[in-house]
Amino acid sequence: MRFFYLLIFALGFSLNIYAQAVVSEPQNPMEDDSIKIIFDATQGNRGLLNYTGVVYTHTGVITSTSNGAWSHVIGAWGNNTQQPALSRIGTNLYELVIGRPRQFYSVTDPNEHILKLAFVFRNAAGNAQSEDLFIEINYSFLKFNSPAVNVLYGDPLRSPVFALPIDTININVTSLRPTISISNLKLLVNNNLVLDVNNDTLDYKFISANYSAGINNITAIGLNSEGLSDTTSFVIMVNPPAENIAPPAGTQLGINYNSNNSVTLALFAPYKKFVYLIGNMNDWKVGINYFMKKYTPTPDSTIYWITLDNLTAGTEYPYQYLVDGEIRVADPYTEKVLDPWNDQYINSNTYPGLIPYPTNKTSHIVSVFQPGQTPYQWQVTNFQKPAKTDLVIYELLVRDFLSVHNYQTLADTLTYLKSLGVNAIELMPVMEFEGNESWGYNISFHLALDKAYGTKNAFKRFIDKAHQMGIAVILDNVLNHAFGQNSMVRMYWDAANNRPAANSPWFNQIAKHDYNVGYDFNHESIHTQYYVDRVNKYWLEEFHVDGFRFDLSKGFTQVNTLGNTYQWGQYDQSRINILTRMANKIREVSSSAFVILEHFADNSEETVLSNNNMMLWGNMNYNYNEATMGWLANSDFTWGSYKARGWNEPNLVTFMESHDEERLMYKNVQYGNSSGTYNIKDVREALNRIKLAAAFFFTVPGPKMVWQFGELGYDYSIEYNGRVGNKPIKWDYLSDPKRANLYKVFSALSKIKVNEPAFESTNYSLSLTGAFKRIIINHSDMDVVIAGNFDVINQNASPQFTRIGRWYDFFSGDSIDITNTYTSYTYKPGEFHVYTTKKLETPEQGILLGVNDEDNLSKTITFNLENNYPNPFNPATTINYSIAKESKVKLSIYNALGENVKTLVNEIQGEGYYSTYFDASGMPSGIYFYKIEAGNYVSAKKMILMK
């Protein structure tokens, strides 16, 4: 069993390379290898611990002729001029490059073989040293050329050679080293000698039919010309005959929990020959008792299944399927996975009690089942979802929303969202994705909750608390594709072409559209449809989620449009059929579930989908942002109304920002228009322009969506740190009154949208082209007129009130008597009003400061230099400041030596708020200072460029 010992040594080395005082590279050296030695002074007797001088070694070898004594010792004891010196590679770490040991130690007799390298490590003075240390040299010489033997998992039963009852296995044994001659070879099967040859090659045919099903131990024993022997072995697992046995009635694919702590596992694997279950229940060793039964009602529909009895309630059982003796896969329907690469980085506060990955016993993702789980006790069992026309959805990515990325912390923010007026949260994907930090669209297991954000019950508590606060929870569901860790991808893989195999039950070999990522599902396959329905049902029933937003739903088609993205967006009846079938199956589980599509196809197709009671994303980012920046030619956002699209139902989820779009505030500050002293690049005006847009966003009837921190004017570009990279989490924005006022405006508008029946009206008109825009809503409860100036100069225009009489200005609380519905008023740049015929509760006064009140704005301005953001930055940052009166302004950048490296502003500027962009590309990392001089006002602050 030589290989077993060597494997344990190798694995231990790889897990903790310096866990012993001396190790070698390679880990299991032979005497003709090129060898490097690494000495760790923190191990062993620690005689050289924290020594900082040169380390020398007294070294020799123990050979086959030295009778255990040191021989071929280099130099003389204590003479450092003759002793090899080590190179220091780190604190308490040293390296000695030996190369080929026979040459290094001058072992010239070909009949003398090195068995061990021997060392004592000493300081220069010779008064501190290590104990005697040794590196074993492997003198094995036998090799199985066939069959291929896998010794990666520490025990031959974890990776045996498999044989069907009709197979013949060719066994060939030769010398591992051409320089070593073998005089005799023996082969034993189950300890019985079957072949004895006086030769350096052995060939034997193992005929499965002659041996029992189950474990068969194969051992080779060799004797070389010097009289030294070597032994090596492996296991052949002869499979029992396959039987066509149906699983218990009601068994579904995946995990089936039975009574009395029994579990039935079922894997759909057509065209496969056999499957074994491996896991903690059998120490990851292949056994005849875990050979899975096979049920094949038709040639292309094969289920492998097994029932496990007498399991321990509450215990988690990691497991995999070993398919055809080659492919180790997790259960595609698992609710939890163990990840050998990423679990180690999950914080124990986020996921307490995470069971370890079975390191060294298997590879790839592992699935988990747990019989006898204590059911979560839901506090809300009859949650009433908001009406779709009242929806105010808040889209968020847990990673970039909270510094502590978990569901417990997310639950604590619900008060903030409730106060904002949110009645639905849309979570970017929380299903198991590859890695721990991601947008989540690199999905691998659709039924497993990604552990990076917390436990299953923590997620349920979050949903339960949201429901208690009247907030629905919508999941971003990624069913266009799966990534390479996915078990269904791995089971049917064309390695030669690096893509799914032609016989995959679920995936297209080549994606049908240009925007695909990962591997493209074939949504016309009944097997994919079964999987999709199971995924959707699971999240609705197990977690009480209120619906889904389906990512890249336009990809749910088998119409091939590769190379023609225009054609991809055209009317596709097959795609309509696929999505309608899926939506109907969802409503069989939950009749009121939200089904939202990220579609962006031709309106003729979207109209049909809307008429089939699906909601669709309405991306109005470009148009709203053009309006907020004051560039009016493309500022018409009429298409944000479902009526403008000719739809019968308010199924358009309009948004100004989403995870996939540039931030309004960022573009306002970078590219905003100006006229005279009115400058949209000024932070205050940039924020006020978003208030203006919000008045024309929330009030258009139909569901709305807000992207996280949009209510605070988030102004980091979507490309900051790379498009999908981590973004700064800006809860500190709340301490900025200017940004807090934007939050309050969003809150006031979202609440009247939800609470006032007028905003559910179907009788409304839009005039949203040009500089002056208006929305007119007629309703039996009250009429509403929203009027605003999106220009950078004054506009004289009429709101066009729907009736004479008393009207109320929502934000000011003032009333006006209208005698002429076409009376014109002068609207300053950015000014807007929400007029109603019913008196509503007036929002906090002052939150529109600077929008409709120029005098008050001027009184609040002082000289001020704000902290730059981001800080630290790479390679650019934004610096904001305010000027109380017209002054000569100089804004300069200095390095840590006080040298002026760049002047950003050097001109006369009038009273107002200013924002400037500093791009440090080409400058080295370090501490810099920025200084403003404006009249008698001087201020400087520190910033850090970190590349």
Side-chain angles (χ1 to χ4, degrees):
M1 301 296 289
R2 180 198 77 249
F3 67 86
F4 177 66
Y5 166 77
L6 297 179
L7 177 63
I8 292 298
F9 178 84
L11 290 170
F13 179 87
S14 66
L15 289 172
N16 192 352
I17 191 169
Y18 303 122
Q20 49 195 16
V22 63
V23 295
S24 68
E25 296 179 8
Q27 302 166 18
N28 182 33
M30 296 181 180
E31 65 175 11
D32 51 1
D33 283 334
S34 180
I35 299 173
K36 179 192 297 182
I37 298 299
I38 296 173
F39 168 57
D40 183 352
T42 67
Q43 304 296 318
N45 71 358
R46 302 172 62 161
L48 294 173
L49 182 67
N50 297 325
Y51 173 66
T52 58
V54 178
V55 170
Y56 298 88
T57 182
H58 178 69
T59 182
V61 294
I62 297 172
T63 73
S64 57
T65 62
S66 69
N67 295 318
W70 288 40
S71 64
H72 301 278
V73 175
I74 296 177
W77 176 265
N79 187 343
N80 290 338
T81 63
Q82 297 177 345
Q83 303 283 296
L86 282 71
S87 300
R88 183 181 175 90
I89 59 174
T91 304
N92 289 311
L93 288 177
Y94 300 86
E95 176 185 275
L96 174 66
V97 177
I98 289 176
R100 302 195 185 280
R102 295 187 70 87
Q103 286 76 28
F104 188 81
Y105 292 100
S106 300
V107 181
T108 57
D109 184 349
N111 296 316
E112 183 181 18
H113 298 288
I114 300 173
L115 304 180
K116 294 181 182 180
L117 310 183
F119 305 92
V120 174
F121 299 103
R122 311 172 67 241
N123 66 358
N127 57 8
Q129 66 186 47
S130 72
E131 72 272 44
D132 288 3
L133 297 168
F134 302 93
I135 291 292
E136 300 278 350
I137 297 297
N138 178 13
Y139 191 60
S140 304
F141 56 82
L142 286 186
K143 175 186 178 183
F144 283 110
N145 287 313
S146 66
V149 177
N150 180 354
V151 296
L152 289 178
Y153 305 115
D155 190 297
L157 286 176
R158 295 195 180 112
S159 53
V161 173
F162 291 91
L164 300 177
I166 59 172
D167 285 346
T168 296
I169 305 294
N170 292 316
I171 299 175
N172 173 263
V173 184
T174 62
S175 174
L176 181 63
R177 306 185 193 181
T179 59
I180 296 177
S181 173
I182 299 177
S183 59
N184 178 258
L185 280 171
K186 293 181 174 65
L187 187 73
L188 289 78
V189 177
N190 297 327
N191 294 322
N192 296 315
L193 181 66
V194 297
L195 191 60
D196 187 344
V197 297
N198 295 318
N199 203 338
D200 60 2
T201 300
L202 180 150
D203 288 288
Y204 179 76
K205 293 188 182 299
F206 178 93
I207 301 172
S208 299
N210 295 338
Y211 295 92
S212 301
I215 299 169
N216 291 272
N217 294 296
I218 313 299
T219 304
I221 302 172
L223 188 70
N224 71 8
S225 57
E226 300 172 7
L228 297 176
S229 66
D230 186 24
T231 301
T232 186
S233 61
F234 71 96
V235 167
I236 294 178
M237 176 66 69
V238 177
N239 295 338
E243 298 180 81
N244 195 10
I245 304 174
T251 297
Q252 61 180 359
L253 298 181
I255 306 166
N256 299 263
Y257 292 110
N258 310 320
S259 59
N260 300 320
N261 297 320
S262 169
V263 171
T264 298
L265 303 173
L267 175 70
F268 185 75
Y271 320 120
K272 301 301 180 182
K273 297 176 182 177
F274 62 93
V275 180
Y276 281 89
L277 178 71
I278 56 174
N280 273 19
M281 72 291 295
N282 55 19
D283 196 26
W284 300 90
K285 298 175 184 177
V286 175
I288 204 77
N289 293 335
Y290 296 92
F291 184 73
M292 296 182 70
K293 298 177 178 63
K294 182 177 182 180
Y295 178 56
T296 307
T298 62
D300 62 349
S301 294
T302 299
I303 296 172
Y304 291 89
W305 64 276
I306 189 170
T307 296
L308 305 176
D309 296 317
N310 301 315
L311 300 168
T312 302
T315 297
E316 292 187 291
Y317 291 86
Y319 71 104
Q320 287 176 319
Y321 302 115
L322 181 54
V323 180
D324 284 351
E326 298 176 348
I327 310 169
R328 294 166 185 261
V329 294
D331 195 319
Y333 295 89
T334 185
E335 299 171 10
K336 178 177 176 178
V337 304
L338 301 181
D339 183 329
W341 307 286
N342 298 292
D343 283 1
Q344 60 187 308
Y345 303 111
I346 296 176
N347 188 289
S348 60
N349 292 325
T350 292
Y351 204 106
L354 177 59
I355 59 175
Y357 183 88
T359 303
N360 303 336
K361 295 183 177 182
T362 192
S363 58
H364 297 287
I365 298 294
V366 164
S367 42
V368 178
F369 68 78
Q370 183 183 19
Q373 298 179 51
T374 301
Y376 176 80
Q377 299 300 310
W378 292 94
Q379 301 303 302
V380 178
T381 57
N382 58 345
F383 178 66
Q384 299 298 308
K385 300 177 182 65
K388 62 185 176 184
T389 193
D390 293 339
L391 277 175
V392 177
I393 302 169
Y394 193 89
E395 186 191 18
L396 67 86
L397 171 61
V398 176
R399 183 197 72 184
D400 289 349
F401 189 60
L402 304 163
S403 58
V404 180
H405 312 323
N406 61 38
Y407 299 120
Q408 299 96 298
T409 309
L410 185 59
D412 294 338
T413 67
L414 287 170
T415 301
Y416 169 88
L417 298 174
K418 180 71 173 177
S419 177
L420 180 60
V422 166
N423 57 18
I425 295 171
E426 182 179 303
L427 294 174
M428 285 177 69
V430 296
M431 298 81 168
E432 181 66 30
F433 48 79
E434 301 195 353
N436 288 336
E437 289 201 353
S438 168
W439 274 10
Y441 296 106
N442 53 336
I443 203 84
S444 53
F445 289 86
H446 292 85
L447 283 87
L449 189 69
D450 197 292
K451 304 185 301 298
Y453 299 147
T455 66
K456 181 166 69 172
N457 279 349
F459 189 45
K460 289 179 178 179
R461 283 190 291 270
F462 158 71
I463 295 171
D464 212 3
K465 186 174 180 181
H467 286 172
Q468 291 175 52
M469 300 179 72
I471 299 174
V473 177
I474 299 168
L475 295 189
D476 199 335
N477 206 347
V478 187
L479 287 169
N480 172 80
H481 57 266
F483 270 64
Q485 290 179 6
N486 178 271
S487 296
M488 300 183 300
V489 171
R490 292 187 56 241
M491 277 198 294
Y492 297 86
W493 185 251
D494 178 356
N497 294 296
N498 196 34
R499 65 190 188 191
N503 65 346
S504 171
W506 303 282
F507 295 98
N508 293 312
Q509 285 187 282
I510 299 173
K512 299 298 182 183
H513 60 94
D514 291 280
Y515 277 71
N516 186 74
V517 293
Y519 303 104
D520 186 30
F521 273 115
N522 173 1
H523 282 273
E524 289 184 353
S525 164
I526 60 170
H527 308 302
T528 298
Q529 291 173 2
Y530 173 86
Y531 182 73
V532 165
D533 295 342
R534 280 285 304 280
V535 169
N536 293 334
K537 181 179 181 181
Y538 171 73
W539 292 101
L540 290 168
E541 291 187 338
E542 181 69 22
F543 290 95
H544 293 196
V545 301
D546 301 294
F548 305 101
R549 174 266 190 190
F550 287 99
D551 177 66
L552 205 56
S553 59
K554 194 163 60 177
F556 290 28
T557 179
Q558 285 300 100
V559 176
N560 191 349
T561 57
L562 277 177
N564 190 339
T565 56
Y566 172 79
Q567 182 60 37
W568 182 46
Q570 298 309 295
Y571 187 95
D572 181 346
Q573 184 61 51
S574 66
R575 183 165 54 203
I576 292 172
N577 296 342
I578 288 168
L579 291 167
T580 301
R581 188 212 67 81
M582 180 185 72
N584 290 340
K585 295 295 289 187
I586 288 172
R587 294 192 177 103
E588 288 179 11
V589 180
S590 174
S591 60
S592 61
F594 300 119
V595 177
I596 304 172
L597 308 178
E598 184 204 24
H599 212 64
F600 308 137
D602 188 84
N603 188 54
S604 60
E605 179 174 326
E606 294 201 346
T607 302
V608 174
L609 294 168
S610 172
N611 291 341
N612 289 350
N613 202 24
M614 286 171 263
M615 292 189 283
L616 298 99
W617 262 20
N619 181 4
M620 299 304 300
N621 173 263
Y622 174 77
N623 306 79
Y624 273 106
N625 215 168
E626 289 292 292
T628 63
M629 291 187 294
W631 306 109
L632 303 177
N634 296 302
S635 68
D636 180 6
F637 32 85
T638 305
W639 203 241
S641 162
Y642 76 95
K643 283 183 61 180
R645 300 185 181 211
W647 298 6
N648 296 328
E649 294 289 331
N651 284 326
L652 184 67
V653 182
T654 309
F655 57 85
M656 298 190 291
E657 293 177 327
S658 76
H659 70 270
D660 234 356
E661 311 301 331
E662 188 57 274
R663 314 303 169 217
L664 301 182
M665 185 64 178
Y666 173 79
K667 289 181 69 175
N668 283 0
V669 170
Q670 298 301 319
Y671 311 114
N673 197 359
S674 65
S675 178
T677 60
Y678 183 80
N679 185 356
I680 295 175
K681 291 182 180 179
D682 295 347
V683 171
R684 186 181 294 265
E685 292 304 342
L687 290 166
N688 286 338
R689 297 291 293 202
I690 297 177
K691 297 174 188 176
L692 167 65
F696 284 81
F697 171 67
F698 288 103
T699 56
V700 178
K704 307 296 171 192
M705 188 181 77
V706 174
W707 168 242
Q708 66 182 28
F709 297 131
E711 73 282 4
L712 295 173
Y714 193 85
D715 46 13
Y716 288 81
S717 171
I718 192 173
E719 301 300 339
Y720 177 87
N721 192 31
R723 187 175 185 84
V724 299
N726 297 54
K727 301 296 188 288
I729 299 169
K730 298 299 293 180
W731 287 100
D732 60 305
Y733 280 167
L734 277 171
S735 63
D736 180 345
K738 300 186 298 296
R739 296 180 184 275
N741 281 342
L742 176 60
Y743 171 92
K744 293 170 183 176
V745 169
F746 269 54
S747 175
L749 289 167
S750 63
K751 287 175 181 176
I752 63 169
K753 172 193 170 41
V754 172
N755 297 325
E756 297 300 326
F759 297 101
E760 298 177 356
S761 176
T762 60
N763 184 8
Y764 62 90
S765 62
L766 308 174
S767 178
L768 301 177
T769 59
F772 188 80
K773 304 180 190 295
R774 67 176 65 85
I775 299 171
I776 298 173
I777 300 174
N778 299 95
H779 192 269
S780 58
D781 183 62
M782 71 175 180
D783 285 359
V784 185
V785 172
I786 302 96
N789 178 15
F790 283 82
D791 211 337
V792 293
I793 60 174
N794 289 351
Q795 288 286 331
N796 190 53
S798 170
Q800 297 185 8
F801 293 103
T802 59
R803 65 177 88 161
I804 61 173
R806 179 158 294 188
W807 285 75
Y808 300 90
D809 188 329
F810 172 59
F811 280 100
S812 71
D814 293 339
S815 63
I816 51 177
D817 289 318
I818 300 300
T819 57
N820 182 348
T821 58
Y822 285 93
T823 299
S824 291
Y825 302 88
T826 299
Y827 288 79
K828 298 185 296 293
E831 181 178 350
F832 69 91
H833 296 268
V834 178
Y835 302 109
T836 64
T837 57
K838 182 176 76 174
K839 174 68 170 157
L840 304 177
E841 181 179 353
T842 304
E844 178 184 331
Q845 291 301 285
I847 60 176
L848 292 189
L849 190 63
V851 175
N852 300 343
D853 188 349
E854 188 174 291
D855 292 335
N856 284 342
L857 174 62
S858 64
K859 293 176 184 177
T860 66
I861 296 181
T862 60
F863 285 108
N864 185 45
L865 179 64
E866 298 183 6
N867 292 324
N868 69 299
Y869 60 91
N871 190 30
F873 65 97
N874 176 27
T877 188
T878 299
I879 300 170
N880 296 320
Y881 59 94
S882 57
I883 304 300
K885 62 181 180 180
E886 183 176 287
S887 307
K888 174 66 180 296
V889 178
K890 186 176 182 181
L891 179 64
S892 302
I893 308 296
Y894 298 86
N895 63 20
L897 298 177
E899 299 169 331
N900 187 330
V901 296
K902 194 164 189 176
T903 297
L904 302 178
V905 177
N906 190 14
E907 62 184 24
I908 295 175
Q909 292 183 330
E911 173 188 2
Y913 293 88
Y914 294 87
S915 181
T916 189
Y917 187 69
F918 171 44
D919 187 343
S921 297
M923 298 174 63
S925 298
I927 296 174
Y928 292 84
F929 298 88
Y930 57 103
K931 177 182 177 182
I932 191 170
E933 300 170 79
N936 295 325
Y937 176 74
V938 179
S939 181
K941 293 182 182 291
K942 181 173 72 173
M943 59 184 174
I944 300 173
L945 172 60
M946 185 178 295
K947 293 186 175 180

